[in-house]
Amino acid sequence: MQLKNLPIYYYPTRIFMVDDNRDFLMNFSLQLDPSLAYCMFSSAHEALRQLKQIKNDDLITKKILSHYEGASDDPLSQQSFTLNLNAIQNEVYNKNRFNEVGVVLVDYDMPGINGVEFCQQIKNIPVKKIMLTGKADEKLAIDAFNKGLIDAFVQKQSSDIITSINDNIAALQYDYFQNVSKLITKLLAMDNTTFINDTAFIEFFVCLCKEKKIVEYYLIDITGSFLMLDADAKPSFLTVKLYDDLELHYELAQNAKAEEAVLDDIRSGNKIPFALQTKDYYGYDASDWKKNLYHAEELKGENTYYYAYITADIGYNNEAQPIASYHQYLEKLDNANSAD
């Protein structure tokens, strides 16, 4: 999967599958990636009714950004914004986040309303659309794609239809989050934040998520550090520093009278500091910098990045405010689908 930009947050979304043939939907769903959260509709009108309840304004962006100083047609030209990164990672406590609909898979040939007409009615709703077609409908699908009504189409008779659908859904879920967070991404790019569109960093990040079975992540600082969760909501962290960040942390540690070995590790990039935010500046225990240091690797891209992947228990889990896991959500959704 090739990404031009890295979404600054991501979690699995629901997939709406729309086809008037209920048996086809049931058989088809059994062959799809079992990690997908899907809802099946044999009634196109019921699917439309639910989709039209989706609000176009992006609520998480409103939590993350606040702006002031006038108005303009260009939201970046005459307004100033403040970026609240804590609001991004706090989204893990939103129990309804997985209910979001990111992709719609719709059949072209349906009674009363065809797939193109269906997508026309939801063109202003921020979901990605895949249309299933027959061979005779391919020209109509190409036309709909060129007009921007759909984001992909797949022939039902294709021998690799399951692989194609799974691949398209995976790619379009990322596209969905690129779209809903595009204003935040633009602001970060204006601040010379390079990891967002750095090909080397993006490839590394995607591979890390796959290797560690990460299903959701949230940006926690502008250098490219992330809170990550697997399907059981077990947290881990990717902390990333640039060389200028190392210099800053070196000065902080030096002012805190850290040991010489600690200072050498920070300045060389052999180890990098990480701690959860507290009331203290940067959250570091000034009395013992050693316990905040983690072995670092170097990644060369548009910048040189120093990173550490951290799985140690650093006191993130909040018993008073537990995180709903994706596994739990899939179980509830599976029970609901079975009851239909």
Side-chain angles (χ1 to χ4, degrees):
M1 178 168 50
Q2 296 291 327
L3 297 178
K4 293 181 181 179
N5 299 295
L6 185 69
I8 62 167
Y9 64 96
Y10 175 90
Y11 43 81
T13 62
R14 282 192 298 168
I15 314 302
F16 271 26
M17 297 169 53
V18 187
D19 193 309
D20 63 295
N21 188 331
R22 182 71 177 180
D23 290 337
F24 171 80
L25 284 175
M26 293 295 293
N27 292 330
F28 190 64
S29 64
L30 293 174
Q31 301 176 69
L32 291 177
D33 185 339
S35 68
L36 292 177
Y38 58 84
C39 296
M40 297 178 289
F41 296 88
S42 55
S43 167
H45 296 291
E46 176 58 22
L48 280 173
R49 186 189 69 79
Q50 293 196 29
L51 285 168
K52 287 179 179 179
Q53 292 177 347
I54 297 174
K55 295 182 178 180
N56 289 331
D57 51 348
D58 178 35
L59 296 180
I60 189 171
T61 298
K62 286 188 173 182
K63 297 175 189 174
I64 296 166
L65 291 175
S66 60
H67 65 275
Y68 52 94
E69 291 186 13
S72 167
D73 291 336
D74 180 356
L76 299 180
S77 62
Q78 296 180 7
Q79 299 186 53
S80 296
F81 290 82
T82 56
L83 186 61
N84 178 11
L85 292 181
N86 283 335
I88 299 178
Q89 67 183 79
N90 285 341
E91 194 65 11
V92 297
Y93 300 114
N94 178 2
K95 296 180 180 179
N96 295 318
R97 65 193 185 280
F98 302 129
N99 275 327
E100 209 163 318
V101 182
V103 180
V104 175
L105 176 66
V106 59
D107 187 27
Y108 172 78
D109 188 14
M110 296 184 296
I113 181 171
N114 64 44
V116 174
E117 293 167 339
F118 181 98
C119 292
Q120 179 73 36
Q121 290 201 33
I122 59 171
K123 66 179 181 179
N124 294 322
I125 298 174
V127 296
K128 297 297 177 179
K129 309 166 193 76
I130 306 171
M131 195 163 70
L132 294 175
T133 72
K135 289 183 179 179
D137 309 319
E138 187 169 1
K139 288 184 178 179
L140 293 170
I142 293 173
D143 184 56
F145 178 82
N146 290 335
K147 290 179 178 178
L149 288 177
I150 61 175
D151 300 283
F153 62 91
V154 179
Q155 282 193 6
K156 273 189 170 182
Q157 295 84 359
S158 173
S159 59
D160 63 345
I161 180 173
I162 300 300
T163 299
S164 181
I165 291 297
N166 283 330
D167 290 347
N168 272 291
I169 288 175
L172 290 176
Q173 286 203 94
Y174 272 99
D175 283 351
Y176 170 79
F177 282 100
Q178 285 177 335
N179 286 348
V180 297
S181 63
K182 61 185 176 183
L183 178 56
I184 303 167
T185 301
K186 284 183 180 180
L187 289 169
L188 289 171
M190 290 173 65
D191 200 28
N192 294 320
T193 302
T194 61
F195 75 89
I196 292 172
N197 51 22
D198 188 330
T199 301
F201 186 91
I202 293 172
E203 289 179 354
F204 155 75
F205 188 88
V206 171
C207 289
L208 180 68
C209 287
K210 185 176 181 180
E211 177 190 345
K212 305 299 183 182
K213 295 181 170 55
I214 301 301
V215 302
E216 53 181 319
Y217 65 78
Y218 305 85
L219 180 71
I220 58 177
D221 69 43
I222 62 173
T223 60
S225 298
F226 291 85
L227 162 64
M228 298 173 148
L229 290 94
D230 65 14
D232 293 313
K234 181 180 179 181
S236 58
F237 293 87
L238 173 69
T239 184
V240 181
K241 309 293 183 191
L242 302 175
Y243 185 77
D244 287 347
D245 299 310
L246 297 184
E247 286 292 299
L248 173 61
H249 290 297
Y250 176 89
E251 291 177 10
L252 289 171
Q254 189 177 48
N255 291 338
K257 309 298 183 183
E259 297 177 14
E260 199 64 36
V262 169
L263 296 176
D264 289 343
D265 279 334
I266 294 174
R267 171 159 276 181
S268 66
N270 289 331
K271 292 182 180 180
I272 54 178
F274 178 74
L276 293 176
Q277 291 290 334
T278 69
K279 294 180 180 179
D280 298 324
Y281 190 58
Y282 280 106
Y284 299 119
D285 182 355
S287 65
D288 188 4
W289 269 72
K290 280 185 180 179
K291 72 178 185 180
N292 298 126
L293 292 182
Y294 296 88
H295 177 73
E297 302 287 345
E298 185 178 298
L299 172 68
K300 289 190 177 295
E302 293 181 17
N303 277 311
T304 298
Y305 306 94
Y306 301 89
Y307 70 90
Y309 179 68
I310 301 167
T311 58
D313 183 0
I314 55 176
Y316 182 78
N317 289 315
N318 184 350
E319 293 182 3
Q321 195 175 15
I323 301 171
S325 77
Y326 186 53
H327 267 162
Q328 291 171 327
Y329 178 78
L330 285 177
E331 288 176 2
K332 291 179 182 178
L333 195 61
D334 186 50
N335 291 335
N337 285 335
S338 299
D340 289 342

